[in-house]
Amino acid sequence: MIINTGARTDTVQYYTKWLLKRFEEGYVFARNPLFPNKVTRYELAPEKVDAVIFCSKNYEPILPHIEKITDKFNAYFYYTITAYGKDIEPGVPSIEDSINTLIKLSKIVGKQRLAWRYDPVLLSEKYTVENHINTFNYMAQKLYPYIDRCIFSFVEMYKKLEQNMPELILLTEDDKQTLAQNFGNISKQYNISIQTCGTNGDYSKFSINKSGCTTLDILGKANGLKFRKLKHKGMRQGCNCIESRDIGAYDTCLNGCKYCYANKNPKLAFENYKFHNPDSPLLLGEIKEMDTIQPGVQNTFLEHQISLKFDE
């Protein structure tokens, strides 16, 4: 099975101590978001977990300790760095700080296990098509020696986003074509493999791939593993990733990004943070008397392990 630490919240940035303790103690509890009294226990042992997926906008808090996990587990890292400032991403470090942290992370875990996410791409009077192209080019020039690939997506216009970002300008098909063409050309210039995420658009004519962000092929090549050929069911509509189990919780991310799908609102996340106990096996709160704890299904996807060499 695949453990995901960052789809529901930025666990790496805001819950570092808890995350490290869970791996140290070898298990974690995850509360079902639809049925809150149902709790699943996952064993965090190398023989039970094929790989650990990390996704964050700031790895700085965990950098001194990340090898406590990577020395024992196969892993892959997604680092989101976008064009936006504090007006859109209040809790996220500056572009320069983020780039510097990504470089440090790459030197620790190896570029073959690290992807740069530039998403979601959205437009406003400040963040124009031209602004995105220029910023993407600047970042690509800085990051290409340290990353395995780049992933981008166009923002999904759901109702909550329209309320949170009235300044949003609708992306036209021409906008998407222009952005994709430029992202593709820039990536080709710096020899970066680039792909979309969760989008129905086909931009292959710009040398942009459409495969899932997290596939067994990607995880296998990054960690020297051989997986069985399995269907990738995806985590949502339009997703082509292998299924994983998230150990985080919704409404807990303190980044406060206006486009966030995992928080109902930023205020709720700060309220929930009061219930976080770094020593609890749950990200939020404790096990209650009415909770039902069940063991998670942790079947391996592995076929057998192979030995590969990488250029660090």
Side-chain angles (χ1 to χ4, degrees):
M1 71 165 295
I2 311 295
I3 286 287
N4 194 317
T5 70
R8 297 174 180 170
T9 190
D10 199 332
T11 315
V12 166
Q13 181 170 3
Y14 296 108
Y15 303 95
T16 309
K17 185 178 177 182
W18 175 84
L19 186 63
L20 291 167
K21 185 154 190 176
R22 297 308 350 117
F23 278 97
E24 180 184 347
E25 295 191 349
Y27 75 99
V28 65
F29 289 165
R31 196 175 289 281
N32 189 311
L34 298 179
F35 305 98
N37 292 130
K38 291 185 177 181
V39 177
T40 303
R41 173 177 172 135
Y42 296 111
E43 305 302 323
L44 299 181
E47 62 272 17
K48 292 286 188 178
V49 177
D50 296 332
V52 181
I53 303 300
F54 296 88
C55 188
S56 177
K57 295 177 179 176
N58 183 11
Y59 281 87
E60 190 67 39
I62 206 170
L63 282 183
H65 315 286
I66 194 63
E67 288 175 297
K68 293 179 181 178
I69 299 175
T70 57
D71 283 350
K72 297 179 181 178
F73 293 86
N74 302 305
Y76 200 86
F77 299 82
Y78 297 89
Y79 204 134
T80 302
I81 310 178
T82 66
Y84 314 120
K86 299 292 184 181
D87 53 330
I88 305 293
E89 300 175 338
V92 179
S94 69
I95 289 174
E96 290 301 329
D97 286 344
S98 297
I99 289 173
N100 290 335
T101 301
L102 182 147
I103 292 171
K104 287 188 284 186
L105 176 65
S106 179
K107 290 179 179 179
I108 295 171
V109 305
K111 66 174 289 184
Q112 80 279 357
R113 293 199 284 180
L114 176 56
W116 163 40
R117 296 192 67 105
Y118 187 89
D119 66 339
V121 177
L122 55 83
L123 299 183
S124 69
E125 289 188 5
K126 179 178 180 180
Y127 302 104
T128 61
V129 169
E130 183 180 7
N131 174 266
H132 276 294
I133 293 169
N134 291 337
T135 305
F136 186 88
N137 182 68
Y138 174 78
M139 292 182 182
Q141 184 181 14
K142 295 277 189 177
L143 297 176
Y144 80 89
Y146 306 101
I147 58 173
D148 173 48
R149 60 207 165 96
C150 175
I151 303 156
F152 78 96
S153 67
F154 296 117
V155 69
E156 294 183 22
M157 290 298 295
Y158 50 92
K159 185 174 289 186
K160 185 174 69 173
L161 182 60
E162 294 176 1
Q163 297 171 350
N164 292 345
M165 294 194 67
E167 71 271 29
L168 211 59
I169 296 174
L170 190 66
L171 274 159
T172 66
E173 189 56 40
D174 285 344
D175 291 332
K176 293 179 181 180
Q177 291 291 324
T178 300
L179 287 162
Q181 182 177 9
N182 279 274
F183 288 176
N185 289 340
I186 293 166
S187 297
K188 188 182 297 182
Q189 179 184 349
Y190 295 108
N191 198 28
I192 298 173
S193 175
I194 185 170
Q195 67 178 89
T196 54
C197 169
T199 178
N200 294 322
D202 183 358
Y203 305 103
S204 55
K205 63 183 178 182
F206 304 128
S207 301
I208 295 173
N209 301 316
K210 196 184 176 182
S211 64
C213 325
T214 307
T215 65
L216 293 179
D217 181 60
I218 289 168
L219 294 178
K221 289 179 180 177
N223 291 279
L225 304 170
K226 183 69 175 179
F227 287 100
R228 290 178 283 128
K229 294 188 181 301
L230 299 172
K231 183 178 180 181
H232 289 52
K233 299 177 181 178
M235 307 304 291
R236 64 185 189 279
Q237 186 177 5
C239 176
N240 298 310
C241 295
I242 191 66
E243 61 182 291
S244 61
R245 296 291 178 263
D246 197 287
I247 60 174
Y250 293 115
D251 296 311
T252 59
C253 185
L254 307 183
N255 279 329
C257 302
K258 283 188 174 184
Y259 53 77
C260 180
Y261 67 88
N263 283 349
K264 290 186 179 69
N265 62 70
K267 189 177 294 185
L268 180 60
F270 281 91
E271 286 296 317
N272 284 337
Y273 188 76
K274 299 174 184 177
F275 300 102
H276 172 63
N277 175 6
D279 296 322
S280 171
L282 283 165
L283 186 71
L284 282 188
E286 312 289 340
I287 293 296
K288 302 173 184 176
E289 188 176 337
M290 66 284 290
D291 288 336
T292 301
I293 302 175
Q294 60 185 12
V297 178
Q298 296 188 244
N299 297 327
T300 184
F301 298 150
L302 286 168
E303 183 177 308
H304 58 81
Q305 190 160 337
I306 59 177
S307 177
L308 297 178
K309 292 183 179 181
F310 302 103
D311 294 326
E312 295 291 337

